[in-house]
Amino acid sequence: MFFPCSSSTSSANYDPMIPISATNNITTDDHHMGMGSSQVYNYFDGRDRSSNGLLGLRSSAENLVGREVLINKDHHQYLQQQYSDLTTTARNKNKGEKKTRKPKYAFQTRSQVDILDDGYRWRKYGQKAVKNNKFPRSYYRCTYQGCNVKKQVQRLTKDEGIVVTTYEGMHTHPIEKPSDNFEHILNQMQIYTPF
DNA sequence: CGGTTTTGACCCGCGC
DNA sequence: GCGCGGGTCAAAACCG
């Protein structure tokens, strides 16, 4: 396996045996997340996270450095859909209509880069230091006109290899995916590269 | 020049 | 009220 971007000489953690399609396997097993897996939380409030992690996304392909971006993009889009399906019912039993917290969902991904290309365009509007964390948390807003979906990205001190992304709101517009960026080209090349 | 990032100030809820 | 933690604003800086 060789792709031009072998600049990531740390091919030590490269595992060519994992098919990329494995990233779309969602299980409900929310315990014992392996270190190489992503997990998804569902909560309606920053503090009161509904304890039952609804989804455990099992992806063993995290360490494929070259494919990281594409994998994460799949995670974002797929999980966002999953979340909307799951919360439509959960949101209805929220009695006090006035204080309805905006639903959020978060998941963490093992990645070297903080900025994960999920296909949407974001504008950063803030950055704050987080307590007990040496990495700051960044706040982004979707730049699509009229769409005020927000997300925040944060790296854990505990495990610097993990990036936690929290989404708030749902996009009501198509994805703006640039088809000519480097990652796209790179992934296109990988598709045709035999293992 | 227009869009984005940076960064300190500001705001707000909460516990004491 | 006061301080703390977290979230947002907005002016200035930055950049293609």
Side-chain angles (χ1 to χ4, degrees):
Chain A
M1 182 73 175
F2 55 87
F3 44 94
C5 170
S6 64
S7 60
S8 58
T9 54
S10 64
S11 58
N13 52 359
Y14 175 73
D15 184 358
M17 301 309 291
I18 310 297
I20 197 169
S21 58
T23 65
N24 281 339
N25 288 343
I26 289 267
T27 82
T28 55
D29 176 16
D30 53 355
H31 324 92
H32 299 93
M33 318 296 302
M35 290 304 289
S37 62
S38 296
Q39 61 186 125
V40 179
Y41 302 108
N42 174 30
Y43 55 100
F44 293 83
D45 174 277
R47 288 156 285 129
D48 182 21
R49 168 187 304 171
S50 69
S51 53
N52 51 352
L54 292 181
L55 301 174
L57 183 88
R58 196 167 290 287
S59 163
S60 35
E62 250 83 25
N63 293 325
L64 300 182
V65 177
R67 293 176 175 174
E68 198 104 58
V69 174
L70 179 61
I71 289 171
N72 286 324
K73 184 185 293 185
D74 289 345
H75 285 184
H76 282 66
Q77 294 170 4
Y78 184 74
L79 295 175
Q80 199 153 0
Q81 184 56 47
Q82 287 291 313
Y83 174 77
S84 68
D85 295 343
L86 286 165
T87 51
T88 42
T89 56
R91 199 179 327 190
N92 291 339
K93 69 175 183 180
N94 198 347
K95 27 189 174 183
E97 278 293 16
K98 44 188 67 175
K99 276 297 184 180
T100 46
R101 293 279 181 182
K102 290 173 186 170
K104 296 180 183 178
Y105 75 98
F107 64 96
Q108 54 188 46
T109 307
R110 182 169 295 278
S111 171
Q112 267 92 20
V113 290
D114 290 345
I115 21 81
L116 308 176
D117 182 10
D118 54 8
Y120 294 98
R121 296 185 58 248
W122 303 92
R123 181 180 66 255
K124 186 173 184 176
Y125 68 90
Q127 172 171 309
K128 287 288 285 189
V130 190
K131 188 170 186 177
N132 299 327
N133 218 327
K134 68 179 175 187
F135 300 107
R137 174 184 300 153
S138 296
Y139 299 89
Y140 298 88
R141 210 187 295 271
C142 181
T143 58
Y144 191 88
Q145 205 238 338
C147 178
N148 63 338
V149 172
K150 286 178 278 191
K151 77 169 177 181
Q152 42 183 263
V153 178
Q154 162 181 18
R155 187 175 290 275
L156 298 181
T157 6
K158 186 74 178 196
D159 186 342
E160 307 193 1
I162 289 184
V163 172
V164 181
T165 305
T166 305
Y167 280 95
E168 176 178 334
M170 289 292 300
H171 297 280
T172 56
H173 57 92
I175 301 170
E176 320 171 25
K177 64 163 54 174
S179 58
D180 56 346
N181 63 17
F182 173 72
E183 297 298 339
H184 181 259
I185 295 170
L186 179 61
N187 284 304
Q188 287 293 94
M189 296 180 68
Q190 289 173 350
I191 289 174
Y192 301 108
T193 304
F195 279 16

